[in-house]
Amino acid sequence: MHDNKQFAGSMAATWRRACSLGAVTVGVALLLGACAMKPQPSPEELQARQAHLDKVQKAKARFEELCKTAGITVNRRVTGVKGIRLEKVPPKSNWKDWADPMWAEAALSDGLGGDVFIRRLLLRRVRDSSTGELDGGVSSRASDGDAGFDFVDAKAEGGKWRRYSIVVLNDGYMDMVSKPVSEYDLAPYSVSYNSIENVEDRRLWIAGVDIVVSDSRARQQLGVIRRYIIDTGQGDQAGGRSPWRFSEGNNSCPRMVLSDLGGFFWMSLNNIIKVEE
C-alpha cells in the first residue's frame, strides 16, 4: 500500500514538472513567433510609400505622352559618308552626374563623354552571329562587323578643331589618334544636340534630347533624332544604384533592344547619314 502511494506521488510530481516545462515551451514559442512577426509600418511610412507610387505612375504617364513625339525624322538621307563633324561633344561624367535629375546629357550619352564618346563612333559595329542584325556593340579589332566613321572632327581643349581617327596596331588592336584640321576642311555633315530640360519633367526623372544632323555646305537640316529616357526608380540610389545609367531598355524611346543600347547614338545617325562601306 505504501509503495502504491509513493508511486502515485512520484507520477504526480513528474506530471507537474512536465506541465511546467510545457508551459515554458509554449511561452518560448509565443515569444519567438512574436519576434518573427514583421513590424507594421507607421502611418507616415505608408503615406510616403503611397506618395512614391503616385509619383511613379504620374512619371510613367507623362513619359508615355512624351514618347509620342520621339523618333527619327529624316528629311534627306545621305550614304557613303566617311566622316562627321561634332559641333558638341558630351563632357566626361561621373556618378554625381548619373544621380543628378538635372544632368544635361542624361538622355544622350549613356554616361560616355569626351574621347570615349568619339571613339565609339569610329570603331566597328558588331553583327549578331545568329541573326545577322546590326548590334550596338563595338569591336576593337579591324575584322568583322560594319565600319565606323573613318574620322570625326571635334573641338579639343582650347577650341581648336582636330580630326580623330583609328589606327590599327601591330597586334591587330586599334588606337585613336588625332591631328589638327582647318575649318575649311571640316566634314560637311555636322551633328549637334540640344538637351530638353523641362524642370517639371526632370522632377519626375524624365530627360530628353534632340540630335540634329545637318549638311553645312547646303545649309540644310538632314534629320532630327528625338529621344526620351526615364528613371522609374525616381532617383533611388540604394545599393550603389546610378539612376540614369539604369534607365535603359524599355525606359527609353524610341524603344531599343538591349544589344542596341550602348550604340544608340551611332545607330540612330546611321538612319540619316550612312557610313561608307
Side-chain angles (χ1 to χ4, degrees), residues 111-159:
L112 302 177
D115 289 353
V116 178
F117 185 84
I118 297 173
R119 182 182 176 87
R120 288 188 69 90
L121 297 174
L122 297 167
L123 291 177
R124 303 181 72 86
R125 322 315 288 193
V126 177
R127 284 191 178 273
D128 189 290
S129 57
S130 59
T131 65
E133 293 293 323
L134 194 62
D135 192 308
V138 293
S139 172
S140 60
R141 291 188 177 274
S143 59
D144 301 327
D146 286 17
F149 291 105
D150 283 356
F151 63 88
V152 171
D153 294 337
K155 285 184 179 179
E157 292 184 10

Side-chain angles (χ1 to χ4, degrees), residues 60-77:
K60 287 182 177 179
R62 174 60 177 163
F63 178 67
E64 291 301 323
E65 179 185 351
L66 291 170
C67 282
K68 294 175 182 178
T69 67
I72 302 174
T73 302
V74 181
N75 300 323
R76 177 163 70 90
R77 194 164 187 263

Side-chain angles (χ1 to χ4, degrees), residues 43-188:
E44 291 77 13
E45 289 173 325
L46 290 174
Q47 186 176 8
R49 290 181 190 177
Q50 187 59 50
H52 175 75
L53 291 175
D54 291 343
K55 185 181 178 183
V56 170
Q57 292 304 314
K58 180 181 178 180
K60 287 182 177 179
R62 174 60 177 163
F63 178 67
E64 291 301 323
E65 179 185 351
L66 291 170
C67 282
K68 294 175 182 178
T69 67
I72 302 174
T73 302
V74 181
N75 300 323
R76 177 163 70 90
R77 194 164 187 263
V78 180
T79 60
V81 177
K82 290 186 176 182
I84 59 171
R85 179 200 316 180
L86 286 181
E87 299 292 346
K88 292 198 297 183
V89 177
K92 294 179 181 179
S93 60
N94 56 38
W95 62 271
K96 290 183 178 179
D97 298 309
W98 308 333
D100 180 2
M102 296 303 296
W103 179 35
E105 279 74 29
L108 176 74
S109 63
D110 191 35
L112 302 177
D115 289 353
V116 178
F117 185 84
I118 297 173
R119 182 182 176 87
R120 288 188 69 90
L121 297 174
L122 297 167
L123 291 177
R124 303 181 72 86
R125 322 315 288 193
V126 177
R127 284 191 178 273
D128 189 290
S129 57
S130 59
T131 65
E133 293 293 323
L134 194 62
D135 192 308
V138 293
S139 172
S140 60
R141 291 188 177 274
S143 59
D144 301 327
D146 286 17
F149 291 105
D150 283 356
F151 63 88
V152 171
D153 294 337
K155 285 184 179 179
E157 292 184 10
K160 297 293 185 180
W161 286 96
R162 295 191 69 85
R163 176 159 292 179
Y164 296 82
S165 59
I166 290 291
V167 294
V168 182
L169 305 178
N170 293 332
D171 57 7
Y173 284 88
M174 301 180 179
D175 192 16
M176 187 171 74
V177 296
S178 71
K179 63 181 181 181
V181 60
S182 71
E183 292 191 16
Y184 298 102
D185 296 322
L186 293 173

